[in-house]
């Protein structure tokens, strides 16, 4: 069997992860340089010429989401001009929370992005812990979700905890928490969260929970944006007299001082994956992604 020859292009948002993936695939690595003009337009320059290989574009879509998405489309387009096959890895996929028309008139932008990616000639799109199955469906058969949970669990297992319990901050994340708990070897619960669709304000509406008393908790979520969900859950759980609270999430965007606010609310440690670089991104998902690409 002829082994695929890969070239990995590292987008501006996750160069380190892209480099790690390229090493694992024994692939060539092409760096990108981004220049942003005063009017907000970006110009991407590749560090070297692309060879006629399977080209793997690695670029996340954290804020500024729209401009990062344009970079993904531009890189995919360039890859298609030179490569035999194009694989796009979007470790953090923005717009995945807007997966349906919550209020009349809302546009499902992820549908548009998926269509643009398909029409740019991409054959496979890998995402990590995309927010919902509905969002993933927009990518049709070319889309594949890869889970960072095994890597997060491996990291969390190194921390000594007393009677740990896995907690999802909302019922939507119950399945994720269940998977996490099964691999971690503990029980799980899911809180009930209510979000005002207009103001974005969050409220925890669970009754008092005696199960959390005197236990170390791991709050598990797919992502942290403003930290609102984690802070509300932490305040609620602290009132129920739990011990320490750890947060394990895949994508830590940590907008507007969210990291500080979460710590001030009483979280002992935030652990996230390197799908979005940052101070909490201590869990490397390059092995998991390289394995998924090899099997594509
Ligand atoms: C919501 O359902 C998600 O899983 C996250 O809990 C949420 O999007 C995080 O956003 P924020 O940090 O702004 O509350």
């Amino acid at each position: 069997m002829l082994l695929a020859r890969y070239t990995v292009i590292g987008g501006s948002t996750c160069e380190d992860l892209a480099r790690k993936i390229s090493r694992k695939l024994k692939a060539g690595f092409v760096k990108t340089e981004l220049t942003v003009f005063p009017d907000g337009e970006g110009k991407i320059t590749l560090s070297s010429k692309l060879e006629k290989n399977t080209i793997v574009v690695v670029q996340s879509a954290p804020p500024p989401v729209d401009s990062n998405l344009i970079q993904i489309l531009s890189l995919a387009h360039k890859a298609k001009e030179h490569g035999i096959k194009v694989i796009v890895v979007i470790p953090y996929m923005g717009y995945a929370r807007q997966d349906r028309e919550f209020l009349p008139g809302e546009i499902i932008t992820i549908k548009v992005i998926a269509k643009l990616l398909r029409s740019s000639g991409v054959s496979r799109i890998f995402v990590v812990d995309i927010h919902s199955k509905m969002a993933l469906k927009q990518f049709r058969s070319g889309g594949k979700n890869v889970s960072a949970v095994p890597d997060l669990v491996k990291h969390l297992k190194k921390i000594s905890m007393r009677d740990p319990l896995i907690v999802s901050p909302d019922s939507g994340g119950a399945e994720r928490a269940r998977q996490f708990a099964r691999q971690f070897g503990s029980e799980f619960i899911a809180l009930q969260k209510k979000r005002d669709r207009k103001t974005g304000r969050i409220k925890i509406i669970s009754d008092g929970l005696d199960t959390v008393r005197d236990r170390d908790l791991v709050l598990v979520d797919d992502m942290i944006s403003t930290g609102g969900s984690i802070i509300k859950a932490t305040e609620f759980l602290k009132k129920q007299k739990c011990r320490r609270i750890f947060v394990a999430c895949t994508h830590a965007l940590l907008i507007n001082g969210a990291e500080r606010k979460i710590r001030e609310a009483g979280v002992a440690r935030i652990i996230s994956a390197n799908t979005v670089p940052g101070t909490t991104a201590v869990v490397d998902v390059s092995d998991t992604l390289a394995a998924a690409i090899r099997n594509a």
Side-chain angles (χ1 to χ4, degrees):
M1 194 176 75
L2 212 61
L3 287 179
R5 286 166 58 90
Y6 299 102
T7 297
V8 173
I9 305 181
S12 60
T13 54
C14 49
E15 191 186 314
D16 184 55
L17 174 61
R19 255 186 214 283
K20 287 189 169 113
I21 293 173
S22 79
R23 268 184 232 126
K24 278 153 199 174
L25 291 176
K26 298 196 181 354
F29 182 75
V30 174
K31 196 176 144 64
T32 56
E33 195 191 313
L34 174 71
T35 311
V36 181
F37 293 109
D39 62 359
E41 277 179 14
K43 180 178 76 174
I44 313 166
T45 312
L46 303 186
S47 64
S48 55
K49 269 178 87 174
L50 292 173
E51 288 181 46
K52 209 163 176 50
N53 287 341
T54 292
I55 301 188
V56 184
V57 171
V58 185
Q59 164 83 333
S60 258
V65 185
D66 294 350
S67 104
N68 284 325
L69 284 169
I70 287 288
Q71 285 179 53
I72 296 170
L73 290 167
S74 305
L75 292 171
H77 185 265
K78 182 76 177 166
K80 185 66 190 165
E81 283 176 348
H82 297 269
I84 303 168
K85 185 175 160 190
V86 182
I87 295 174
V88 170
V89 180
I90 311 175
Y92 165 66
M93 180 67 217
Y95 280 101
R97 289 179 293 177
Q98 299 181 49
D99 57 1
R100 66 202 81 179
E101 197 177 327
F102 291 102
L103 296 174
E106 286 177 356
I107 293 170
I108 306 164
T109 304
I110 193 156
K111 206 172 184 169
V112 182
I113 300 158
K115 201 168 178 180
L116 287 169
L117 278 166
R118 277 199 308 275
S119 65
S120 66
V122 171
S123 52
R124 294 305 314 252
I125 301 160
F126 289 93
V127 290
V128 182
D129 290 336
I130 192 165
H131 180 71
S132 77
K133 280 195 183 137
M134 227 150 133
L136 183 66
K137 272 196 190 140
Q138 301 297 345
F139 295 97
R140 306 211 182 139
S141 57
K144 172 131 182 63
N145 185 60
V146 172
S147 176
V149 168
D151 295 314
L152 288 166
V153 166
K154 207 160 129 194
H155 189 96
L156 266 288
K157 273 188 173 169
K158 291 184 202 144
I159 305 171
S160 144
M161 293 188 203
R162 189 205 283 175
D163 200 9
L165 177 71
I166 308 303
V167 183
S168 168
D170 53 42
S171 55
E175 179 51 27
R176 186 178 307 111
R178 194 181 66 78
Q179 294 283 344
F180 198 107
R182 191 180 52 77
Q183 293 175 39
F184 192 72
S186 66
E187 305 166 303
F188 84 97
I189 57 164
L191 303 178
Q192 300 293 324
K193 175 180 92 177
K194 212 169 152 47
R195 188 189 282 271
D196 185 311
R197 285 278 154 213
K198 284 215 168 100
T199 62
R201 220 167 275 141
I202 299 161
K203 218 162 117 186
I204 301 289
I205 49 169
S206 294
D207 290 331
L209 291 173
D210 218 32
T211 33
V212 306
R213 185 181 282 265
D214 289 330
R215 297 177 82 169
D216 280 331
L217 308 179
V218 182
L219 263 173
V220 173
D221 213 342
D222 59 327
M223 62 181 288
I224 303 175
S225 177
T226 63
S229 306
I230 292 296
I231 291 168
K232 284 283 175 214
T234 300
E235 287 167 356
F236 175 80
L237 294 163
K238 285 276 171 191
K239 275 192 203 138
Q240 316 299 316
K241 307 263 183 291
C242 66
R243 276 188 92 229
R244 294 173 302 169
I245 298 178
F246 297 91
V247 171
C249 77
T250 307
H251 319 289
L253 305 184
L254 298 168
I255 315 265
N256 295 338
E259 187 176 352
R260 177 186 46 79
K261 292 178 200 161
I262 291 171
R263 288 192 202 287
E264 282 171 6
V267 166
R269 209 181 304 172
I270 308 167
I271 291 139
S272 68
N274 58 348
T275 54
V276 178
T279 49
T280 63
V282 291
V283 174
D284 176 29
V285 290
S286 62
D287 266 331
T288 306
L289 278 167
I293 294 164
R294 256 188 243 111
N295 293 327

